[in-house]
Amino acid sequence: MHDERGRLFRDAWIAGVKNHYPGDPKPSYIAPWEDTPDWERAAAAAVYEQVAAFVETTNGATAKLTRSQKGRFVALCWIGQIYKHFPDPKPSYVADWDDLPAWQQETDADIFEQIEIHVRADKAV
């Protein structure tokens, strides 16, 4: 289950990058799950769990958040994972929301929305 949720996060990231990135993204941005480093797999699963918990504890009221609010939440959760895995990360890895490129903001919002859909589908079963 943990692996599945991490994959869902990664698949949403790749889809967002392909949709929003201007030009050709770095190969690492769209590398498949199998080629993703272990720390990044763990981080993807952890952020999925954080977003899912947020959706569940609000009883789905996250649907009322703006895309920006949703993306900010994903970005903050990801920054926490970066600090967990890297004691002294590059500043660009922990950039604040306003400093992220638009493509990344849109991708983070897409990730949140994909997790929302997945959580709702799990509850419907």
Side-chain angles (χ1 to χ4, degrees):
M1 180 72 99
H2 192 72
D3 202 46
E4 173 192 336
R5 292 175 173 188
R7 281 179 185 264
L8 187 137
F9 179 101
R10 182 68 184 173
D11 289 347
W13 165 262
I14 291 169
V17 169
K18 288 180 176 180
N19 191 34
H20 302 294
Y21 192 88
D24 292 326
K26 295 180 192 178
S28 63
Y29 285 179
I30 55 172
W33 180 255
E34 295 75 20
D35 297 338
T36 304
D38 289 343
W39 75 265
E40 196 168 347
R41 289 184 195 193
V47 175
Y48 178 101
E49 295 296 337
Q50 288 176 289
V51 174
F54 188 29
V55 172
E56 290 169 357
T57 59
T58 63
N59 199 27
T62 53
K64 297 177 182 179
L65 297 175
T66 65
R67 278 186 54 82
S68 178
Q69 290 168 328
K70 292 175 181 186
R72 284 176 189 266
F73 188 81
V74 170
L76 280 173
C77 292
W78 188 260
I79 288 170
Q81 290 299 308
I82 293 294
Y83 279 123
K84 175 182 177 181
H85 293 280
F86 299 98
D88 190 25
K90 292 175 22 177
S92 62
Y93 290 175
V94 292
D96 196 25
W97 178 256
D98 292 333
D99 297 326
L100 293 177
W103 71 264
Q104 191 168 349
Q105 291 177 349
E106 291 297 323
T107 298
D108 286 349
D110 289 352
I111 291 167
F112 191 106
E113 290 176 347
Q114 286 303 305
I115 295 170
E116 272 184 314
I117 291 166
H118 195 248
V119 168
R120 281 196 301 268
D122 278 354
K123 285 193 176 260
V125 173

